[in-house]
């Protein structure tokens, strides 16, 4: 398996005997090359899985549906803590998302060891989430990246947690996620 990896200044994500490669430009993911017909498997992760990551999942699902590419993606979200397991997304996040036409149907769950094998890409919302996910990453599965690495219009380096703030925080999160998710989708060429 090792002899099949192509480096050439790219990040290589092993997926059984097939590979995906991200090339980077200026510290941001630039392109993605698929070498297999499997769906792109993406997991969005925040702290409790009740605000940012379910919103990212909802935004990305709608973008994928709008592009008529649902069969090309397996999309989910998770948190780094178990405190909210089984709960729906925060009602304030759901209300802000609904105003923009997004449905947040998932139930909170905690990231599991099997997620590193099940998913190709794990997208974290902030530096703390990134560190928490990397701390349990066995290193032989999913590539772990930051959501704001895909932003073009926004200069934030993290998606801020809106939980303890007002409604404007939820709107700000959606603004950032719409920017990042639209550019994340562009990294996956249509099959």
């Amino acid at each position: 398996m090792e002899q099949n990896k192509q480096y050439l200044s790219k990040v290589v994500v092993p997926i059984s005997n097939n590979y995906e490669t991200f090339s980077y430009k200026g510290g941001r993911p630039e392109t993605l090359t698929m070498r297999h017909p499997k769906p792109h498997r993406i997991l969005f992760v925040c702290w409790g899985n009740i605000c940012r990551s379910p919103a990212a999942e909802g935004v990305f699902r709608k973008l994928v549906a709008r592009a008529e590419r649902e069969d090309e993606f397996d999309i989910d979200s998770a948190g780094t803590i178990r405190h909210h397991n089984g709960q729906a997304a925060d009602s304030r996040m759901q209300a802000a998302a609904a105003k923009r036409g997004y449905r947040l149907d998932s139930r909170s769950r905690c990231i599991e060891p099997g997620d590193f094998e099940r998913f190709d890409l794990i997208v974290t919302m902030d530096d703390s989430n990134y560190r928490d996910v990397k701390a349990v990453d066995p290193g032989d599965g999913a590539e772990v990246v930051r959501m704001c690495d895909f932003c073009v219009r926004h200069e934030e380096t993290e998606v801020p947690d809106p939980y303890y703030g007002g409604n404007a925080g939820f709107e700000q999160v959606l603004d950032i996620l719409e920017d990042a998710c639209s550019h994340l989708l562009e990294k996956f060429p249509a099959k």
Side-chain angles (χ1 to χ4, degrees):
M1 194 162 137
E2 186 68 29
Q3 70 274 11
N4 293 334
K5 288 186 180 179
Q6 298 178 2
Y7 289 97
L8 304 173
S9 72
K10 297 181 181 195
V11 175
V12 179
V13 182
I15 302 166
S16 63
N17 290 327
N18 301 299
Y19 294 88
E20 293 185 12
T21 59
F22 281 106
S23 62
Y24 280 78
K25 180 179 182 182
R28 293 181 181 268
E30 186 66 19
T31 60
L32 178 75
T33 305
M34 291 298 299
R35 303 253 164 97
H36 58 84
K38 294 180 183 178
H40 308 291
R41 300 167 302 173
I42 302 174
L43 180 66
F44 295 100
V45 177
C46 70
W47 190 58
N49 191 217
I50 59 168
C51 293
R52 296 169 293 169
S53 57
E57 178 186 355
V59 169
F60 197 72
R61 280 188 188 283
K62 184 168 183 177
L63 291 170
V64 166
R66 190 179 303 148
E68 299 179 353
R69 298 179 60 192
E70 295 99 321
D71 59 333
E72 296 178 35
F73 290 89
D74 179 11
I75 307 162
D76 198 2
S77 63
T80 59
I81 64 165
R82 297 186 188 285
H83 181 74
H84 299 289
N85 269 7
Q87 293 180 14
D90 183 281
S91 60
R92 298 165 296 169
M93 187 79 255
Q94 287 190 46
K99 284 193 292 187
R100 298 186 190 204
Y102 302 116
R103 292 181 51 156
L104 309 184
D105 297 328
S106 62
R107 294 286 178 170
S108 177
R109 71 177 188 85
C110 191
I111 191 168
E112 304 168 345
D115 288 332
F116 292 93
E117 290 298 320
R118 178 177 170 214
F119 294 94
D120 308 318
L121 190 64
I122 297 177
V123 184
T124 63
M125 299 298 126
D126 63 30
D127 290 340
S128 177
N129 306 146
Y130 181 83
R131 283 189 303 275
D132 290 345
V133 171
K134 290 297 278 184
V136 296
D137 181 0
D140 58 355
E143 179 71 18
V144 181
V145 298
R146 293 171 175 88
M147 183 89 260
C148 286
D149 287 348
F150 298 96
C151 283
V152 172
R153 295 184 316 274
H154 290 84
E155 294 183 9
E156 287 88 345
T157 58
E158 299 183 320
V159 180
D161 190 343
Y163 188 79
Y164 295 104
N167 292 338
F170 294 92
E171 296 297 333
Q172 178 189 19
V173 165
L174 288 169
D175 290 341
I176 294 168
L177 293 176
E178 287 173 341
D179 180 15
C181 285
S182 65
H183 293 96
L184 173 60
L185 181 58
E186 290 175 1
K187 305 303 178 193
F188 294 91
K191 293 181 180 180

